[in-house]
Amino acid sequence: GTLLFFPCTTEPKHMQSPPEPAKQLPVSALLALAMTGFICILTETIPAGLLPQISHSLAVSPSLAGQMVTAYAAGSLLLAIPLTLLTRSWPGRRVLLLTVLGFLVFNSLTAISGNVTMIMFARFMAGACAGLAWSLLAGFARRIVTPSLQGRALAIAMAGTPVALSLGVPAGTWMGELAGWRLTFAIMSGLSLLLTGWIMLSVPKVAAESGSQQTTLRTALLVPGVRPVLMVVLGWMLAHNILYTYITPFIAPAGLAPRVDLVLLVFGLTALAGIVMTGYVIDRYLRQAVLLSVAGFALVALLFSLYGTSAPAIYGGTALWGLTFGGAATLLQTALADASGKHADVALSLNVVTWNSAIALGGVCGGLLLRHGGSESIPRVLLLLLLITLGIVWRAGNHGFPAGSRDSR
């Protein structure tokens, strides 16, 4: 069933307290969290599909226009941890609302400004909002439900990511080509405004994470299991981003460069299937799901290294790649939150930094591989990375990725 939360307005303010964790999935609240993630991803990636329009409109080079993506990533990378530490004692819903209002303000500023410096500042600050949102969403989704529902709750809350990647980005690019890039950012602001009302109506008030006020980065990193999970995040996401960033030159030898949109659609649709499957298994089989996902991606790398010029192999491998990636964010954030316990909010901010570092490194490493080894070198490096990552998961059985049902630990 669906359980909706509404703030109590009849009880005296000093008597109000956050509601008890739900014993049924609060679907509306969790979908509001998923929508927040959707806006994070869409705000980050939309400029990539509209670079010719943006560069022409602002009279700058496409490479300078492309720094809109870089500025956003830099905001997430540099400010996720400081903002998390600053707001860790604040009520969770207040912080969530502030991040969404940040998207409203900074996407609006991007839409109306004609000054490149101001736009870059707005993009940097929008990235900072995203960094704070990502460090908050997983812990928030877990705290509004009982432990036995935490995995499924997080799967719903993380659904916005594959939806944005598979459907939102192409739709945003099409909309920008049809109506202009400024209107696209204005529509993103409108979505943020609607989401603000949605959050106020359906998302419960949640107290700050217990013990988070005393947590330092060192404390969180020294908790058993946290460092292995972060290493897995880095290895898995580095491999993913090398391939995802340079998918067009990689599939060119198979004659599929003109069909990159179809290849990415296959990836996106199977990623959606992956996150649905993750929701069913995460609370009982988290360790097995991570092992199978990383091993499955390693199998894709092996397939691509042997048959990288075959179009059927590319399509089949991409489908399996999407299936293994769909639940990655949910699996890894759940493992990290489980391992870090009361230090989850700070640990999850480290996840944001690690994840964005993997994105940046993926671009750099993939470019070097293309330049010095050609596209055929990519799957071989991916296979090595994924085998190392698989070994880390296997060895982290006691803390990072323990066996057994999550609600029985």
Side-chain angles (χ1 to χ4, degrees), residues 58-216:
L58 297 175
V60 298
S61 66
S63 61
L64 180 57
Q67 299 312 303
M68 291 175 68
V69 178
T70 305
Y72 186 98
S76 292
L77 192 62
L78 295 175
L79 293 184
I81 291 175
L83 288 175
T84 300
L85 294 175
L86 177 67
T87 61
R88 58 187 168 175
S89 62
W90 300 5
R93 192 176 75 159
R94 182 192 302 171
V95 181
L96 182 64
L97 283 168
L98 283 175
T99 63
V100 176
L101 288 172
F103 283 118
L104 171 62
V105 170
F106 296 118
N107 278 333
S108 296
L109 190 59
T110 302
I112 65 176
S113 179
N115 183 284
V116 175
T117 302
M118 183 61 69
I119 288 175
M120 292 301 176
F121 169 76
R123 292 290 298 169
F124 180 86
M125 294 306 298
C129 293
L132 181 57
W134 287 125
S135 66
L136 172 74
L137 289 177
F140 199 105
R142 289 161 56 89
R143 291 203 294 275
I144 62 176
V145 296
T146 57
S148 62
L149 295 175
Q150 286 178 347
R152 278 170 283 177
L154 187 53
I156 297 173
M158 292 294 107
T161 298
V163 171
L165 290 172
S166 60
L167 304 177
V169 174
T173 302
W174 174 81
M175 186 168 54
E177 293 172 349
L178 188 67
W181 70 272
R182 292 189 184 277
L183 181 60
T184 303
F185 277 97
I187 290 172
M188 293 296 298
S189 296
L191 289 177
S192 300
L193 185 60
L194 291 174
L195 179 56
T196 300
W198 187 354
I199 290 171
M200 294 182 70
L201 284 175
S202 66
V203 175
K205 295 180 179 179
V206 175
E209 184 79 55
S210 175
S212 65
Q213 290 89 329
Q214 291 77 41
T215 300
T216 64

Side-chain angles (χ1 to χ4, degrees), residues 41 82 110 134 138-139 151 162 166 234 240 263 267 292 337 342 371 376 404:
I41 294 293
T110 302
W134 287 125
S166 60
L234 182 63
H240 165 78
V263 172
F267 171 83
L292 281 174
K342 65 180 182 180
R371 183 181 304 172
E376 66 272 13

Side-chain angles (χ1 to χ4, degrees), residues 299-314:
L299 183 62
V300 171
L302 179 61
L303 177 68
F304 284 172
S305 66
L306 296 175
Y307 305 103
T309 58
S310 164
I314 294 294

